[in-house]
Amino acid sequence: MNRYFIYLSYNGKSFCGWQIQPNGITVQQSIEEALSTILRRPISIVGAGRTDAGVHARLMVAHFDSEAPISDLPFLTDKLNRLLPKDIAIDHIVPVIDEAHARFDATARTYQYYITTRKNPFNYDLVYRYSGKLDFELMNEACKSLFDYTDFTSFSKLHTDVKTNNCRIMEAGWKQEGDLWVFTIRADRFLRNMVRAIVGTLLEVGRGKLSLEGFRRVIEAKDRGCAGTSAPGHALYLVNVEYPKEIFK
């Protein structure tokens, strides 16, 4: 068996998330159908994560297996791009060791969330427009609290199938880029809905509705009901997935 990593990006607007489901088109389904057509046999892929409906990826990684080695990976990449819809792009495909796993071998993932306070007819479905004033300096102070904890149950979707809600956050903060404010968060793993829940709660801080101590109490409560409403998915992007060098051939 020969295993390969696919590096890709997608605009999530038209998809019901990454993972295959009975109702609605997903990114995983679209790629599996294209791969199966080209390689002329059923192919399943495993993604590095499961983005929700409407969420985008500037960089997603998935793995698949082929019984025979694929000699021309750039040619396969080109054929996939021709077959896939315009909102999915395959960047490149690389061979990895047989035991490599796109999800379980990832050592870190990075997400970004985009907010603007200015109305723009060209990016309204790619960033979150917030019409009020936000104290981003205070929001960045709240971000520092995230490094002091590992249990993020308060920011997790309820009734998920994970064994632990512990994550190690390595980076979290807001930076201004022109008319946009970009929240970047990097961790060894993320819980379902975690980034959007954190952003929604930070917005409560930025609006003056939640103090820095209150933000800490939300985390310590380990209760999703104590956190803010999840920020909309259309402004969230998976931007990087990291792996150990040893898994690549």
Side-chain angles (χ1 to χ4, degrees):
M1 194 61 71
N2 302 272
R3 181 158 288 186
Y4 298 91
F5 271 17
I6 306 175
Y7 283 77
L8 66 137
S9 57
Y10 54 86
N11 180 325
K13 181 181 177 182
S14 303
F15 299 103
C16 298
W18 166 267
Q19 191 171 30
I20 287 179
Q21 51 184 273
N23 306 310
I25 301 296
T26 66
V27 181
Q28 181 185 14
Q29 176 189 343
S30 301
I31 297 171
E32 285 187 355
E33 288 176 354
L35 264 177
S36 300
T37 298
I38 295 168
L39 299 179
R40 299 182 180 179
R41 65 182 181 285
I43 297 287
S44 60
I45 65 173
V46 176
R50 293 178 284 184
T51 54
D52 292 332
V55 175
H56 317 288
R58 295 193 192 281
L59 189 151
M60 167 65 94
V61 182
H63 76 247
F64 74 97
D65 293 326
S66 172
E67 290 178 13
I70 300 169
S71 58
D72 195 340
L73 292 171
F75 180 69
L76 175 59
T77 300
D78 183 59
K79 288 196 78 170
L80 275 172
N81 278 322
R82 290 170 186 266
L83 204 54
L84 285 165
K86 63 182 182 297
D87 30 23
I88 301 176
I90 307 300
D91 185 65
H92 62 286
I93 303 171
V94 296
V96 292
I97 62 174
D98 292 350
E99 302 79 26
H101 198 287
R103 181 180 176 192
F104 298 135
D105 282 337
T107 56
R109 298 166 176 83
T110 305
Y111 282 89
Q112 289 184 325
Y113 195 92
Y114 287 77
I115 285 182
T116 183
T117 54
R118 180 178 174 224
K119 188 175 182 180
N120 184 328
F122 301 107
N123 70 2
Y124 65 90
D125 56 353
L126 297 171
V127 303
Y128 175 42
R129 185 190 171 218
Y130 187 85
S131 53
K133 285 190 175 182
L134 292 168
D135 186 338
F136 284 97
E137 192 173 327
L138 195 63
M139 289 158 71
N140 270 334
E141 282 299 310
C143 285
K144 295 175 184 176
S145 304
L146 295 168
F147 304 125
D148 297 334
Y149 300 91
T150 54
D151 188 328
F152 293 102
T153 301
S154 290
F155 299 129
S156 172
K157 196 169 186 176
L158 298 174
H159 312 303
T160 60
D161 56 358
V162 297
K163 294 177 181 176
T164 173
N165 287 335
N166 287 356
C167 309
R168 184 169 62 92
I169 294 178
M170 309 158 190
E171 178 186 354
W174 295 88
K175 286 185 180 178
Q176 189 169 14
E177 296 181 6
D179 294 330
L180 299 173
W181 279 93
V182 184
F183 175 64
T184 301
I185 184 166
R186 177 172 172 261
D188 61 344
R189 64 191 289 266
F190 287 92
L191 308 172
R192 289 287 305 280
N193 205 237
M194 179 173 163
V195 182
R196 291 168 57 197
I198 289 175
V199 171
T201 310
L202 287 171
L203 290 176
E204 295 287 289
V205 174
R207 292 167 56 204
K209 301 287 186 182
L210 186 66
S211 67
L212 293 177
E213 187 54 42
F215 186 76
R216 283 185 173 273
R217 285 198 297 268
V218 167
I219 302 172
E220 291 168 1
K222 300 176 185 177
D223 179 355
R224 180 63 186 92
C226 294
T229 304
S230 293
H234 71 272
L236 179 62
Y237 297 73
L238 173 63
V239 298
N240 198 20
V241 188
E242 299 168 50
Y243 296 95
K245 292 179 181 177
E246 308 83 66
I247 69 172
F248 297 96
K249 285 187 175 178

